[in-house]
Amino acid sequence: SNFIDALRVYVRGGTGGMGYPNLGGEGGRGGDVWFVARESTTLKSIREKYPQKRFVAGTGANSSVKALKGEKGRDCEVRVPLGISVLDDDGKQIGELNAAGERFLAARGGLGGSLATNFLPCKGQRRTVQLDLKLIADVGLVGFPNAGKSSLLSKISHAKPEIANYAFTTTQPELGKIMYADYKQISVADLPGLIEGAHANKGMGHKFLKHVERTKQLLLVVDISGFQLSIKTQFRTAFETILLLTKELELYKEELVTKPALLAINKMDLPCAKKNLDKLMTQLENPQDFLHLLEEEMIPANTLEFRKVIPISTYTGEGIEELKTCLRKSIDEQAEQVNEEYRKKKLLLLQTSK
């Protein structure tokens, strides 16, 4: 695959240097292994550059007559992409790197030989860790296979995802950028299609859902004519599709449904689309009145509240410009809200410090 979102690597801190018993000299500490977040780095490039996936720091210098305190061993710095979680062998998260320049100490070097260690050096820390990538994007496209997410991404950004007419047209995440006239950019991630049971790791399962965690907002893309994965699965209307998508997000991680969300109703060029849209809007305005029509396990505990519902057609281009405007407005409003909360916190800190 061209895209890798998980990589297991071995890291080992350097061994310390030998002490000098006669003169009480202390060996240098072993070097450390650091993960450093850098833009334009991928897990695929790490695997290609270091096929053995082993990262070992340098050994500390021995104490000597000329230098009673040995020099520290050479550090090993591994460049990793932004949005990396570092997991130990038990799957527990031990660190994360989200911004360029952030550093994580993956393996500490051993102490040099000294009086405390009978002048014998200590070995460095060694372990196997997993680098788990979660795409960082302003907007994450959420929808079932064939809803038109890839087509939408190609319409609103410069991304060129592969598009084909079969289920699971997207098998790996695609990242695009919407460019505005004032040079503002909004990043959009098209993520592999969900299916019912994705929260339990069916289909793309967690491989898809983990990327949703790092997006600021959600854009649900739904086919106005409904959805059916195959002849063996049940047909779902657009309203049922929205509830199922919400349920999958909720079952994976409840806080996902608290993210700001917009809804794009796609394929408005199809016959009966207008009639289906009128029916859907009625259902969305009063969802409680229609929940009795569905199986209990389909109903999410919390329904998503959409900031805007935009009818679109990726085939004719209908509604695409309006959608781009709505995304911009929603992202700007969220940024202003975050800034306001930050200002309030700073003000509260100043008041309490006085």
Side-chain angles (χ1 to χ4, degrees), residues 60-74:
N62 294 336
S63 172
S64 65
V65 175
K66 291 181 181 179
L68 289 179
K69 173 71 175 174
E71 285 190 15
K72 183 177 182 288
R74 180 184 52 82

Side-chain angles (χ1 to χ4, degrees), residues 171-240:
T171 55
Q172 60 188 44
E174 294 278 353
L175 205 56
K177 276 189 166 62
I178 308 175
M179 310 285 285
Y180 292 90
D182 62 352
Y183 302 106
K184 165 83 174 181
Q185 295 182 20
I186 290 177
S187 56
V188 183
D190 170 26
L191 306 159
L194 279 168
I195 62 168
E196 290 180 50
H199 69 277
N201 220 9
K202 288 184 183 175
M204 296 293 175
H206 294 176
K207 196 173 174 65
F208 158 82
L209 286 164
K210 72 174 184 180
H211 293 297
V212 182
E213 293 180 54
R214 292 285 176 90
T215 57
K216 294 177 186 173
Q217 300 197 4
L218 306 179
L219 174 60
L220 268 67
V221 185
V222 172
D223 186 335
I224 188 58
S225 57
F227 168 73
Q228 187 172 17
L229 184 65
S230 71
I231 54 170
K232 295 178 182 177
T233 58
Q234 195 172 336
F235 173 79
R236 302 296 189 186
T237 65
F239 180 63
E240 290 174 330

Side-chain angles (χ1 to χ4, degrees), residues 27-321:
R29 200 165 69 80
D32 304 316
V33 180
W34 292 88
F35 294 143
V36 186
R38 288 280 185 267
E39 289 177 355
S40 67
T41 300
T42 65
L43 291 182
K44 188 187 178 195
S45 66
I46 295 173
R47 191 179 70 175
E48 287 174 347
K49 192 173 179 181
Y50 307 99
Q52 291 184 319
K53 296 176 284 184
R54 289 172 60 87
F55 300 97
V56 180
T59 303
N62 294 336
S63 172
S64 65
V65 175
K66 291 181 181 179
L68 289 179
K69 173 71 175 174
E71 285 190 15
K72 183 177 182 288
R74 180 184 52 82
D75 284 350
C76 173
E77 289 196 353
V78 186
R79 294 186 173 193
V80 298
L82 276 58
I84 283 288
S85 295
V86 186
L87 311 177
D88 65 12
D89 254 348
D90 299 323
K92 181 187 172 188
Q93 184 173 312
I94 53 176
E96 61 179 4
L97 300 143
N98 294 321
E102 284 187 354
R103 299 164 65 85
F104 173 76
L105 182 58
R108 189 180 292 279
L111 293 172
S114 64
L115 183 63
T117 64
N118 202 22
F119 299 99
L120 295 173
C122 299
K123 289 183 177 179
Q125 186 181 12
R126 59 184 70 197
R127 58 183 171 182
T128 301
V129 296
Q130 175 153 312
L131 302 177
D132 205 23
L133 176 67
K134 295 176 185 174
L135 283 180
I136 298 176
D138 296 314
V139 179
L141 301 183
V142 178
F144 284 136
N146 266 336
K149 301 189 306 302
S150 296
S151 299
L152 178 59
L153 187 69
S154 65
K155 282 278 184 186
I156 61 177
S157 76
H158 297 289
K160 291 182 172 59
E162 289 183 20
I163 302 164
N165 188 29
Y166 53 86
F168 293 115
T169 53
T170 307
T171 55
Q172 60 188 44
E174 294 278 353
L175 205 56
K177 276 189 166 62
I178 308 175
M179 310 285 285
Y180 292 90
D182 62 352
Y183 302 106
K184 165 83 174 181
Q185 295 182 20
I186 290 177
S187 56
V188 183
D190 170 26
L191 306 159
L194 279 168
I195 62 168
E196 290 180 50
H199 69 277
N201 220 9
K202 288 184 183 175
M204 296 293 175
H206 294 176
K207 196 173 174 65
F208 158 82
L209 286 164
K210 72 174 184 180
H211 293 297
V212 182
E213 293 180 54
R214 292 285 176 90
T215 57
K216 294 177 186 173
Q217 300 197 4
L218 306 179
L219 174 60
L220 268 67
V221 185
V222 172
D223 186 335
I224 188 58
S225 57
F227 168 73
Q228 187 172 17
L229 184 65
S230 71
I231 54 170
K232 295 178 182 177
T233 58
Q234 195 172 336
F235 173 79
R236 302 296 189 186
T237 65
F239 180 63
E240 290 174 330
T241 301
I242 292 164
L243 291 178
L244 273 171
L245 288 169
T246 308
K247 184 77 173 175
E248 290 301 335
L249 293 171
E250 183 182 77
L251 287 171
Y252 176 72
K253 197 164 277 190
E254 274 187 58
E255 52 263 38
L256 291 183
V257 296
T258 64
K259 286 180 182 283
L262 289 89
L263 175 63
I265 307 296
N266 193 20
K267 306 190 182 179
M268 288 302 296
D269 53 284
L270 296 176
C272 301
K274 181 71 175 71
K275 181 183 168 186
N276 288 339
L277 180 64
D278 292 340
K279 182 180 176 184
L280 176 61
M281 293 307 289
T282 304
Q283 291 170 323
L284 289 173
E285 282 167 17
N286 303 288
Q288 300 302 323
D289 297 345
F290 300 93
L291 295 181
H292 67 278
L293 302 170
L294 310 172
E295 306 100 65
E296 197 174 328
E297 61 270 15
M298 276 182 63
I299 303 168
N302 302 288
T303 52
L304 275 169
E305 291 185 15
F306 298 108
R307 291 187 167 194
K308 187 83 174 173
V309 179
I310 310 105
I312 64 166
S313 168
T314 54
Y315 181 71
T316 65
E318 175 193 342
I320 298 297
E321 288 305 313

